[in-house]
Amino acid sequence: MSDSDEEGVEKQFKIVIIGDTQSGKTSICQRYASNQFTKNYHPTTGVDFYLKRTTLPGSKNLVIKLWDLSGQVLTGRMLDKYVFGAHAIMLVYDVTNSHSFDNLQDWLEQTRKLLVQQEKPPTYALVANKIDLEHLRTIKSDRHHKFAQEHGLLTYAVSAKTGEGVSLCMQKIAADLLGIRLTKQEQEQHGAVMKAEIVKYSQDALPRNPQANASNSAVCSVM
């Protein structure tokens, strides 16, 4: 097969997203696959599938298959079937929910145990979601990085709501699987533009500040 023929062949990667319920796994998948976000919460039952075609440097055409697992499968009987053949495992937690982070230890141990016989072990990535809620964060960055270092995980921080970091996270995982290093310019191409949302509060809802002007005001919040 010539180089030109290889460039036209689509390589497929199976990426499995695991973590507790309401950690934002489905929102990450929807943001990456269709650039959409919904505030309505509908828990995943079993597994949902998402597909995204993309290209990496060197005209490498890829099909990213996302397996979005329910937070309930950890204690079920199907986890081994869902993770079988995975090229990468994303461990997702909510930065405002310490339990979702603490439980990743169980997710990681169980997944590695199930895949110990796999010919080529998958790449594992630790993904902090909901970084737009920095003011509510309970898991600090140093704790995140310590866990990643102790367990040999790639590390990312994203916001499915704003889109920040989602595309870059997926592209870097795919690049890692291919042994490609993205340049700074290529990484910047996948950076999301954050939108400022104007939130108007009533007079009573505003924080009490004796130096603040008593007139109506608006808070510009980067969500």
Side-chain angles (χ1 to χ4, degrees), residues 12 23 38 46 79 82-83 87 101 133-134 168 179 187 205 208:
Q12 299 186 8
S23 58
T38 177
L79 182 59
Y82 294 148
V83 300
H87 296 94
F101 180 82
L133 299 177
E134 182 64 31
L168 179 59
Q187 293 183 39
R208 296 299 179 185

Side-chain angles (χ1 to χ4, degrees), residues 97-165:
N97 184 336
S98 60
H99 293 295
S100 70
F101 180 82
D102 294 337
N103 291 338
L104 289 183
Q105 183 73 46
D106 293 334
W107 281 101
L108 181 59
E109 290 179 357
Q110 185 67 9
T111 304
R112 281 184 163 164
K113 179 180 178 182
L114 293 171
L115 296 175
V116 69
Q117 299 297 329
Q118 186 162 299
E119 183 176 352
K120 184 177 181 180
T123 293
Y124 288 85
L126 177 63
V127 182
N129 188 30
K130 305 187 184 182
I131 59 173
D132 54 288
L133 299 177
E134 182 64 31
H135 58 296
L136 299 176
R137 178 191 282 267
T138 60
I139 304 300
K140 303 304 180 184
S141 295
D142 55 349
R143 189 177 176 194
H144 169 103
H145 288 291
K146 181 181 179 182
F147 184 84
Q149 185 175 24
E150 289 176 347
H151 297 284
L153 314 176
L154 300 177
T155 173
Y156 302 101
V158 307
S159 168
K161 183 176 182 179
T162 67
E164 181 182 0

Side-chain angles (χ1 to χ4, degrees), residues 8 10 23 26 32 39 59 62 70-71 82 96 102 104 107 125 139 147 154 176 198 209-210:
E10 287 186 330
S23 58
T26 298
Y32 180 63
K39 294 182 180 180
S59 299
L62 303 177
S70 164
Y82 294 148
T96 71
D102 294 337
L104 289 183
W107 281 101
I139 304 300
F147 184 84
L154 300 177
D176 182 80
I198 302 299
N209 183 343

Side-chain angles (χ1 to χ4, degrees), residues 22-125:
Q22 297 188 36
S23 58
K25 303 184 300 296
T26 298
S27 294
I28 290 174
C29 291
Q30 292 177 343
R31 173 63 74 181
Y32 180 63
S34 58
N35 196 28
Q36 294 181 345
F37 176 83
T38 177
K39 294 182 180 180
N40 297 325
Y41 174 67
H42 300 288
T44 301
T45 302
V47 58
D48 284 337
F49 306 94
Y50 299 85
L51 184 144
K52 173 89 169 185
R53 284 184 166 83
T54 187
T55 303
L56 283 181
S59 299
K60 297 183 182 296
N61 299 316
L62 303 177
V63 177
I64 306 296
K65 296 181 176 179
L66 302 177
W67 289 48
D68 172 25
L69 304 193
S70 164
Q72 305 299 321
V73 303
L74 180 62
T75 55
R77 300 180 179 180
M78 295 295 291
L79 182 59
D80 59 333
K81 308 295 190 303
Y82 294 148
V83 300
F84 177 78
H87 296 94
I89 305 287
M90 292 172 56
L91 296 106
V92 177
Y93 72 94
D94 173 357
V95 298
T96 71
N97 184 336
S98 60
H99 293 295
S100 70
F101 180 82
D102 294 337
N103 291 338
L104 289 183
Q105 183 73 46
D106 293 334
W107 281 101
L108 181 59
E109 290 179 357
Q110 185 67 9
T111 304
R112 281 184 163 164
K113 179 180 178 182
L114 293 171
L115 296 175
V116 69
Q117 299 297 329
Q118 186 162 299
E119 183 176 352
K120 184 177 181 180
T123 293
Y124 288 85

